[in-house]
Amino acid sequence: MTHASTDALALFPPSRAEALDRLERFLPRAGREYAATRNADHGPENRENVSTLSPYIRRRLLTEEEVIAAVLRRHSFQAAEKFVQEAFWRTYWKGWLELRPAVHERYRRGLAMALDEMREDDRSKAGYEAATSGETGIEGFDDWARELVATGYIHNHARMWFASIWIFTLRLPWELGADFFMRHLLDGDPASNTLSWRWVGGLQTQGKTYLARADNIARYTDGRFSPEGLAETAHPLSGEPHPPPRPLPPPETPPEGPVALLVTEEDCFVETLDLGDARVTAIGAARASEGVSPGMVSQNVHAFAQGALDDAAARAQARFDAAAHAVPLTAGALSELAREAGARTIVTAYPPVGPSADALGALEPALAEEGVRIVRVMRPFDARAWPHATRGFFQFRERIPVLLAQGGLA
């Protein structure tokens, strides 16, 4: 393990116990205090104005639902509305991309093209390398690039400034920036990351861009940074229209009797899945973080994902009284897991668009030939919320009180 990953795991120990402790410490500040102070980036030494829960929610060491429930037990909805909305942003982005997976395919094609073009152009390569190593000479931007690589995290407001400078000042392809984030962010999520970069560039809410301004950066960084030479305009990038939303897949129910349980880094709280009358007799934990990028993924990301999986596997083993071990995402390994369980079904938490979903989808035909079926169990919170991510967030936001009531959270 590299020194960088050690530093990142010291900042973000990958366990549910740490996540719960961090949530408990944040709860007193989750109401009006959060709403008033959340946009300030005080630097990596002081994150008390934000929750720093996103790496844990990303791996579902905590779920969005239980975080929202905990906040609303402590604060009224009116006081905590801003935090609740921020928690629902992640749910919204996941639902939006789940209904339009073709948008992620476009991103990956665009990334492949941008990488090919950069390899053929020394000037573009030099600009990219300067941006990712924090050597552009742009105050703030360079600091955030180095902070991201070292810690696996930067403040959400800094992410917006960074993406805007990347696209409109440095004139680098947005896909390369999104990929840089995915290779280094502990909370890097295919939906939130891809769609947020698209939003900054004017592709998501088509025609609406985000322009980083020096005065705004100075204000919300306590005067630490006041960059010069930033772009003064942000003309929207051009892109294809959004595809129409597809329906979500129909719900799948585990069969009665023995099943193998597969834990992926998409959901590390599997002991709360509704498995009906299924009986878990073997558990496998499979990491897919290599698939978030065609480039080299940070050891920080691998280490956090592996730590979250190890923690989840230990809890699942205790909950189901079944042996748990690491498995590679291969047809042979998953077939062997099913045989170990004495079952023909592998049950897993529904993986949204991303590397785990890609891997399982690719393996499914070979597993079917072996008589092994994969059942993806969707959480009720997602099943209620995702179908409403058909338009922009402001339309989705109007549904939040109803979604809270349906989940017994209001």
Side-chain angles (χ1 to χ4, degrees):
M1 186 177 294
T2 67
H3 179 65
S5 66
T6 301
D7 290 345
L9 295 194
L11 290 170
F12 296 97
S15 72
R16 177 162 168 81
E18 169 65 23
L20 290 169
D21 184 58
R22 195 166 291 221
L23 172 61
E24 187 63 28
R25 295 197 307 268
F26 172 69
L27 284 177
R29 307 190 304 275
R32 292 187 173 87
E33 181 180 346
Y34 171 82
T37 64
R38 68 188 182 90
N39 283 330
D41 178 8
H42 301 304
E45 296 80 18
N46 181 3
R47 297 291 186 212
E48 290 189 356
N49 61 316
V50 292
S51 73
T52 66
L53 292 173
S54 57
Y56 302 96
I57 296 172
R58 161 66 183 96
R59 305 295 174 191
R60 282 196 162 165
L61 288 163
L62 288 174
T63 67
E64 296 99 311
E65 184 174 24
E66 67 177 325
V67 169
I68 291 167
V71 168
L72 292 178
R73 284 195 296 268
R74 184 71 174 257
H75 302 275
S76 69
F77 176 72
Q78 290 73 23
E81 185 173 10
K82 181 51 68 176
F83 180 83
V84 171
Q85 288 177 4
E86 289 299 308
F88 266 107
W89 262 107
R90 183 173 292 270
T91 304
Y92 166 74
W93 282 140
K94 279 187 179 180
W96 197 98
L97 195 61
E98 202 62 32
L99 299 180
R100 303 169 185 83
V103 171
H104 197 248
E105 290 299 322
R106 292 176 189 173
Y107 156 67
R108 289 196 285 202
R109 289 196 301 270
L111 174 60
M113 292 175 59
L115 288 168
D116 287 343
E117 290 170 4
M118 184 177 64
R119 294 185 189 105
E120 301 298 322
D121 186 336
D122 290 341
R123 185 175 178 180
S124 295
K125 183 177 181 181
Y128 172 81
E129 291 178 347
T132 55
S133 60
E135 297 177 352
T136 67
I138 299 176
E139 192 176 37
F141 181 94
D142 289 347
D143 301 84
W144 296 317
R146 292 191 293 266
E147 182 184 343
L148 172 60
V149 171
T151 70
Y153 182 89
I154 55 176
H155 188 282
N156 185 62
H157 208 166
R159 300 181 196 199
M160 295 166 60
W161 293 322
F162 188 98
S164 181
I165 294 169
W166 180 287
I167 295 169
F168 301 116
T169 298
L170 298 176
R171 300 287 182 179
L172 291 167
W174 74 268
E175 295 95 339
L176 293 180
D179 178 65
F180 176 54
F181 271 19
M182 283 301 295
R183 290 190 295 111
H184 291 283
L185 281 172
L186 300 185
D187 60 10
D189 175 84
S192 295
N193 187 64
T194 304
L195 302 182
S196 293
W197 275 82
R198 282 172 51 86
W199 180 82
V200 169
L203 295 169
Q204 191 62 25
T205 303
Q206 293 177 325
K208 180 180 175 61
T209 59
Y210 178 78
L211 180 64
R213 302 190 318 273
D215 61 339
N216 185 262
I217 293 172
R219 175 186 176 188
Y220 285 106
T221 62
D222 306 323
R224 290 183 301 126
F225 306 126
S226 185
E228 298 179 354
L230 301 188
E232 296 181 357
T233 57
H235 298 295
L237 303 176
S238 59
E240 300 176 63
H242 299 327
R246 69 171 186 176
L248 287 179
E252 296 184 87
T253 303
E256 294 183 16
V259 299
L261 176 64
L262 180 66
V263 187
T264 76
E265 62 208 73
E266 300 300 327
D267 195 314
C268 292
F269 194 24
V270 291
E271 61 265 39
T272 60
L273 288 177
D274 182 2
L275 301 184
D277 294 321
R279 180 166 49 88
V280 174
T281 50
I283 302 165
R287 197 182 79 188
S289 52
E290 295 83 357
V292 302
S293 168
M296 184 175 293
V297 178
S298 165
Q299 181 63 22
N300 288 336
V301 171
H302 289 321
F304 188 88
Q306 189 61 58
L309 276 172
D310 292 344
D311 184 73
R315 283 182 282 105
Q317 181 169 285
R319 164 66 179 82
F320 297 110
D321 193 24
H325 55 87
V327 296
L329 276 174
T330 65
L334 295 188
S335 293
E336 178 58 32
L337 179 66
R339 284 193 290 272
E340 179 186 339
R344 293 188 174 274
T345 302
I346 296 173
V347 176
T348 191
Y350 185 96
V353 171
S356 295
D358 291 343
L360 292 178
L363 295 174
E364 209 154 15
L367 289 171
E369 290 184 4
E370 296 289 326
V372 176
R373 173 189 173 209
I374 299 176
V375 171
R376 300 161 177 83
V377 178
M378 185 179 292
R379 291 186 180 274
F381 181 84
D382 298 332
R384 289 191 298 267
W386 287 357
H388 297 289
T390 55
R391 299 173 65 192
F393 180 75
F394 294 109
Q395 288 79 17
F396 180 86
R397 186 178 66 182
E398 299 302 315
R399 298 288 306 176
I400 289 177
V402 174
L403 292 171
L404 292 175
Q406 289 175 340
L409 303 176

